[in-house]
Amino acid sequence: MKTYHLTIIGGGSTYTPGIVKSILDAHDVLPLRKLVLLDCDAERVARMGGFVRLLLAAHAPEVEVVVTTDREQAFSGMDFLFAQIRSGGLPMRALDEQIPLRHGVVGQETCGPGGFAFALRSIPDMIEIGRDLRRYAPDAWVLNYSNPAAILAELWRREFPDLKCLFICDMPIVIERLLAMTLGVEHADLAFDYVGLNHFGWWRHIWARDGRDVLPGLRARLLGGEKLKLFEDEHVNADWIPTFERLSKTLGYFPEFIPNTYLQYYFFGEEMVAESRPDYTRANRVMDTREKTVFAECDRCVAAGSVADSDLARGVHGDFIVDHVRALLGGAPLRTTVNVPNRGAVKGVPDEAIVEVHGLVSTHGVEAFAVGEVPHFQRALMVQQNAYEQLTVEAALENSYSKALQALTLNRTVPSADVARAILDDLIVANQGRWPVLERDIAG
Ligand code: NAD
Ligand code: G6P
Ligand code: MN
């Protein structure tokens, strides 16, 4: 039987235990021979590695586990690589979120200036990773969760079109599962139609098995005050409840389609700022909760020499990435949201724009379904947001301050060019040595 070699890039992530559990559960289609955890932080990945070694020793002792900071060792001979890096770590995420808030602008991991700052740190790291993949694993499949996914996919389209990489996001699948639960049916019994960009889109239809579009009925219920049914998962915990509840507000303003929750940052900036604390953002919360809990549990298991009573959970996040591997390896094709160059799928949006739409993942790779026409409002928002994404990549690749300023000015979370410039200048100082140097190519 063929066995596989798989690397997790960013193996020190708190998501690693859940992903490894999902991989172990997929043993029938994805029997492993070797699992590599690669990370730039040797101490962090050693702690995680101790836990993963115990987990594998208990459930799949035949698998060799390697923990490394060396990309050549981690990439050579691999069949699959899962990428989940956070360039600069959670402390830099905290600054990404805090700096815009000091200027009265949304402070968020992937949206607005926070996502821009994260992108400018991640682009150089992803270029190094891409170059080494080309050298050591040119035929492997890469499945990327690293954010900001839309911008990294745009970078990949430009720089590494020869490498096979799927840019995936668990937010649409989480929301679809909540919508299915609220409808009282299995997710598998529904076919969704989605259009947008990553963290920036809408569901247009939800078809039941009998061909009926059940979205209008669901919309009426949500607009009538019914709440989304929530299940307990990594991303459906108490912290996320206001976000899921605000979905109904967005729907109330723009009732045509069901919105992705991330649109709240673009439509309700003042409200999001008012609800945030510039000295304690989501990054701080994650450092004080998920990060502490997961690493304390890793240390506890390593000290005890056993994972027998460990409750580090498996969830949608790990299952979703592994479902892609199943489909790539010849399991049933996976119908899901995909992030791919538009190439005509959405009319009126540039061909090269990375769009998020439904498609099929299979042994043939990925194919997007055609969407066709979208109304002015959604189309214009997509075109503007994509221009922001492209300018962000160009700012990094061309070391251009003026493109960085254009990008931030175009971003809907930023009210003026003056505010864009003030935030950009603060971000440059905070990211010294981590960002490409931006040449001052404008006056002033
Ligand atoms: P984390 O900080 O807990 O883990 C990331 C790991 O990557 C750390 O161990 C860090 O040391 C390592 N790392 C950073 N730069 C690296 C590099 N250049 N090479 C190798 N390793 C590197 O972060 P997290 O909360 O687990 O999130 C990881 C990433 O996944 C982030 O980009 C996050 O936004 C993304 N994410 C995406 C989704 C999605 O659905 N798209 C969901 C969750 C998380
Ligand atoms: C969702 C999104 C990810 C994002 C994550 C943040 O899963 O799809 O792109 O990184 O939420 O979660 P956190 O708990 O780190 O704020
Ligand atoms: Mn995402």
Side-chain angles (χ1 to χ4, degrees):
M1 194 215 290
K2 168 135 179 76
T3 53
Y4 295 92
H5 291 202
L6 189 150
T7 290
I8 302 183
I9 309 173
S13 157
T14 52
Y15 292 103
T16 296
I19 289 179
V20 173
K21 286 182 180 178
S22 297
I23 293 171
L24 290 174
D25 280 354
H27 179 81
D28 53 329
V29 283
L30 180 61
L32 281 194
R33 170 75 200 87
K34 185 171 176 180
L35 175 66
V36 180
L37 302 187
L38 169 75
D39 205 282
C40 60
D41 183 335
E43 197 230 304
R44 190 177 168 99
V45 74
R47 287 170 82 190
M48 182 55 67
F51 175 86
V52 169
R53 280 185 204 286
L54 288 172
L55 196 64
L56 275 278
H59 299 287
E62 70 284 3
V63 180
E64 179 191 355
V65 180
V66 176
V67 176
T68 182
T69 56
D70 179 62
R71 280 198 294 270
E72 177 177 354
Q73 188 189 10
F75 292 179
S76 304
M78 288 296 136
D79 300 294
F80 293 98
L81 299 103
F82 292 178
Q84 46 168 358
I85 66 166
R86 182 183 291 289
S87 299
L90 285 162
M92 287 310 294
R93 172 178 176 182
L95 289 182
D96 293 348
E97 293 168 342
Q98 291 175 5
I99 290 171
L101 284 170
R102 289 183 210 147
H103 294 270
V105 169
V106 165
Q108 211 279 328
E109 178 198 24
T110 64
C111 303
F116 171 87
F118 189 13
L120 258 67
R121 286 194 305 279
S122 306
I123 286 171
D125 283 357
M126 285 303 270
I127 289 176
E128 284 188 356
I129 288 170
R131 287 187 180 148
D132 282 344
L133 283 169
R134 194 175 266 153
R135 234 197 254 162
Y136 303 120
D139 300 321
W141 267 108
V142 183
L143 286 90
N144 179 76
Y145 261 137
S146 317
N147 271 318
I151 295 173
L152 296 182
E154 172 60 24
L155 172 79
W156 210 265
R157 182 188 72 76
R158 291 175 187 234
E159 298 292 310
F160 305 108
D162 50 314
L163 301 179
K164 295 181 289 189
C165 185
L166 298 183
F167 287 84
I168 69 174
C169 173
D170 62 13
M171 204 68 227
I173 180 78
V174 165
I175 296 174
E176 287 178 4
R177 286 182 183 280
L178 300 180
L179 297 174
M181 264 191 44
T182 308
L183 284 161
V185 289
E186 292 295 319
H187 178 262
D189 287 329
L190 297 170
F192 292 83
D193 168 295
Y194 181 89
V195 61
L197 314 177
N198 181 240
H199 291 186
F200 199 94
W202 299 263
W203 281 270
R204 300 190 306 173
H205 305 283
I206 306 174
W207 288 290
R209 285 219 182 260
D210 62 6
R212 257 179 333 119
D213 187 352
V214 294
L215 188 142
L218 177 61
R219 168 176 46 217
R221 285 167 54 188
L222 292 173
L223 292 179
E226 190 175 327
K227 290 191 171 168
L228 271 185
K229 280 218 169 57
L230 303 180
F231 56 83
E232 187 61 29
D233 188 75
E234 194 101 52
H235 296 313
V236 194
N237 54 44
D239 290 351
W240 283 80
I241 288 174
T243 290
F244 290 118
E245 291 192 351
R246 207 175 281 104
L247 182 146
S248 295
K249 176 176 175 183
T250 315
L251 183 65
Y253 279 45
F254 310 111
E256 220 156 4
F257 305 140
I258 293 188
N260 190 309
T261 46
Y262 277 93
L263 289 169
Q264 67 182 355
Y265 298 107
Y266 300 94
F267 295 151
F268 307 121
E270 292 95 337
E271 182 175 329
M272 302 313 300
V273 170
E275 279 182 19
S276 308
R277 281 176 51 187
D279 58 337
Y280 192 88
T281 60
R282 176 74 194 151
N284 301 102
R285 176 88 179 136
V286 171
M287 285 188 272
D288 286 344
T289 53
R290 187 169 71 231
E291 191 180 45
K292 280 208 167 73
T293 319
V294 168
F295 281 97
E297 180 64 358
C298 289
D299 294 348
R300 190 191 65 77
C301 289
V302 169
S306 165
V307 288
D309 59 350
S310 165
D311 61 355
L312 285 181
R314 200 194 106 188
V316 175
H317 183 82
D319 288 349
F320 186 56
I321 195 166
V322 171
D323 283 348
H324 284 76
V325 176
R326 276 178 196 282
L328 290 170
L329 285 175
L334 176 68
R335 184 191 162 115
T336 186
T337 47
V338 297
N339 286 279
V340 290
N342 184 28
R343 300 202 184 105
V346 188
K347 281 202 176 146
V349 170
D351 271 354
E352 74 277 12
I354 303 294
V355 292
E356 189 167 78
V357 295
H358 268 269
L360 276 190
V361 179
S362 71
T363 50
H364 300 294
V366 54
E367 301 166 65
F369 299 147
V371 168
E373 302 273 358
V374 286
H376 275 310
F377 180 61
Q378 286 80 8
R379 191 179 63 239
L381 285 165
M382 287 173 71
V383 169
Q384 180 179 3
Q385 176 74 0
N386 174 254
Y388 149 77
E389 291 168 357
Q390 299 220 32
L391 282 165
T392 301
V393 172
E394 286 169 13
L397 295 179
E398 298 167 21
N399 299 85
S400 169
Y401 182 92
S402 61
K403 288 206 169 168
L405 181 59
Q406 289 175 9
L408 282 178
T409 305
L410 261 187
N411 195 287
R412 275 196 51 81
T413 61
V414 179
S416 73
D418 283 327
V419 174
R421 193 160 186 177
I423 294 176
L424 177 57
D425 289 345
D426 282 2
L427 289 173
I428 288 174
V429 173
N431 284 279
Q432 222 147 28
R434 299 180 187 273
W435 267 16
V437 174
L438 300 181
E439 309 287 351
R440 299 261 166 186
D441 48 359
I442 58 167

